[in-house]
């Protein structure tokens, strides 16, 4: 029967499919604030910039470093997005730190590949070359288990029984982020303002990453493989069709921090910087 007294006028469905009944039993109400977005960028200028940068230094400069620098610039320009949520309130971060995810033993068998990463502090105040140099040195130390922030920590956590790992992680997270207390032996703010991972190096073009709750990062960007495709370019004489190298970027974002308007502004600014990368050195 229709309800005239309730907040919503509704009636119970009598005929529900088996799948929908199983789905009701399997899942609760949606509580995940993650939103996703993809941005495709003409990478002609970015690739030219990287080629020139490699000619000026022995450091291997890649799209990972360029995208990281551009994202750091955007977060510095939109500080309301460079935040940490604690006790149900937004707190402004003083620094723009970018976490770059890396694969350990990348050439090993699939079951042996492990993930880690490095944080580049104050990435908005460093050049692309400086980020690349720091990244290379840190990655080698991480892979050799000599990184001052991570050395020994991974081994100690790996020895914790599985049943205790989740409660231990919850306690550490509560102390470090809810109470904002730096614990001895643990890295300070281990994931920074945003996370970046390059899946293009494995030939993958499209993918999305989950937001990692212990990271407290509202933005995760995946860099896809550059590939050629027909692209409309704007010339003084009008629009032209050409084959261009296209860079796909895939973002997962915390909807509590970014709404559609803010995400669009971030995408527009990021696209501009990657199409005019010399501005990052200005």
């Amino acid at each position: 029967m229709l309800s005239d007294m309730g907040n919503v006028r509704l009636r119970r469905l009598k005929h529900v499919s088996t799948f929908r009944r199983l789905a009701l039993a399997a899942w609760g109400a949606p509580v995940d604030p993650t939103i996703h977005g993809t941005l495709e960028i003409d990478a002609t200028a970015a690739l030219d910039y990287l080629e020139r940068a490699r000619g000026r230094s022995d450091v291997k400069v890649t799209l990972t470093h360029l995208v990281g620098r551009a994202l750091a610039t955007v977060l510095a320009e939109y500080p309301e997005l460079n935040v940490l949520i604690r006790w149900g309130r937004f707190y402004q971060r003083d620094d723009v730190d970018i976490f770059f995810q890396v694969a350990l033993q990348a050439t090993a068998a699939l079951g042996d590949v492990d993930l880690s990463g490095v944080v580049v502090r104050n990435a908005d105040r460093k050049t692309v070359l400086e980020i690349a140099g720091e990244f290379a040195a840190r990655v080698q130390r991480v892979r050799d288990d000599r990184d001052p922030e991570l050395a020994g920590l991974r081994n100690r956590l790996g020895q914790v029984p599985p049943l205790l790992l989740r409660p231990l992680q919850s306690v550490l997270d509560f102390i470090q982020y809810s109470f904002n207390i730096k614990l001895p032996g643990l890295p300070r703010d281990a994931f920074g303002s945003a996370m970046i991972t390059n899946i293009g190096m494995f030939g993958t073009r499209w993918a999305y990453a989950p937001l990692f709750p212990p990271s407290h990062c509202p933005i995760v960007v995946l860099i896809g493989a550059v590939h050629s495709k027909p692209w409309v370019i704007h010339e003084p004489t009008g629009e032209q069709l050409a084959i261009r190298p296209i860079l796909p970027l895939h973002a997962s974002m915390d909807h509590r921090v970014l709404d559609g308007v803010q995400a669009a502004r971030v995408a527009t600014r990021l696209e501009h910087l990657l199409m005019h990368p010399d501005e990052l050195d200005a």
Side-chain angles (χ1 to χ4, degrees):
M1 296 178 60
L2 287 173
S3 173
D4 293 323
M5 301 295 294
N7 180 53
V8 181
R9 289 172 56 84
L10 45 74
R11 59 164 60 94
R12 180 180 174 183
L13 289 177
K14 296 182 179 180
H15 304 289
V16 180
S17 70
T18 301
F19 170 77
R20 291 180 68 184
R21 287 191 285 112
L22 290 173
L24 270 180
W27 291 296
V31 295
D32 185 357
T34 306
I35 56 176
H36 302 283
T38 288
L39 178 65
E40 289 189 301
I41 301 172
D42 183 347
T44 303
L47 295 177
D48 177 69
Y49 172 91
L50 294 177
E51 189 67 28
R52 288 184 281 116
R54 291 165 186 156
R56 299 195 304 267
S57 172
D58 294 332
V59 176
K60 182 181 179 181
V61 188
T62 69
L63 282 170
T64 300
H65 312 124
L66 182 60
V67 173
R69 174 67 172 89
L71 181 59
T73 298
V74 174
L75 290 177
E77 294 175 348
Y78 294 98
E80 67 274 13
L81 305 182
N82 186 30
V83 296
L84 174 69
I85 298 176
R86 53 191 295 266
W87 303 113
R89 296 179 179 178
F90 292 96
Y91 287 80
Q92 179 74 60
R93 290 179 180 272
D94 290 334
D95 305 310
V96 180
D97 304 331
I98 302 296
F99 180 88
F100 295 90
Q101 195 169 67
V102 298
L104 304 180
Q105 304 92 27
T107 58
L110 287 179
D112 297 327
V113 174
D114 202 355
L115 296 177
S116 186
V118 299
V119 176
V120 175
R121 308 288 180 186
N122 300 308
D124 59 314
R125 295 183 237 162
K126 296 176 180 176
T127 67
V128 177
L129 276 174
E130 288 173 335
I131 291 175
E134 182 177 337
F135 176 87
R138 288 284 306 281
V139 165
Q140 191 57 53
R141 289 201 296 267
V142 168
R143 287 176 173 165
D144 295 340
D145 202 22
R146 294 184 293 105
D147 186 79
E149 291 192 348
L150 297 176
L153 175 61
R154 292 171 54 81
N155 293 332
R156 290 196 298 271
L157 290 178
Q159 295 171 1
V160 177
L163 288 177
L164 297 180
L165 192 56
R166 175 173 287 187
L168 175 62
Q169 179 178 281
S170 297
V171 170
L172 294 177
D173 183 88
F174 192 72
I175 295 174
Q176 292 185 106
Y177 287 95
S178 295
F179 284 106
N180 198 23
I181 297 175
K182 171 69 171 68
L183 293 176
L186 295 179
R188 177 183 65 82
D189 193 17
F191 298 94
S193 308
M195 302 175 69
I196 287 182
T197 183
N198 191 333
I199 58 173
M201 62 186 295
F202 304 111
T204 304
R205 297 182 186 177
W206 293 78
Y208 291 101
L211 294 175
F212 185 49
S215 74
H216 296 270
C217 288
I219 303 175
V220 179
V221 176
L222 268 65
I223 304 173
V226 175
H227 57 285
S228 299
K229 65 184 297 184
W231 197 256
V232 176
I233 58 176
H234 300 277
E235 300 286 356
T237 56
E239 293 182 341
Q240 304 289 332
L241 189 63
I243 302 298
R244 289 297 178 97
I246 302 303
L247 168 66
L249 300 178
H250 312 286
S252 300
M253 297 161 283
D254 188 337
H255 203 352
R256 297 174 301 171
V257 176
L258 291 89
D259 57 31
V261 173
Q262 292 168 319
R265 289 175 178 170
V266 168
T268 299
R269 184 60 175 148
L270 197 60
E271 179 180 29
H272 174 85
L273 289 172
L274 292 174
M275 294 185 66
H276 305 83
D278 289 304
E279 293 185 12
L280 295 171
D281 294 333

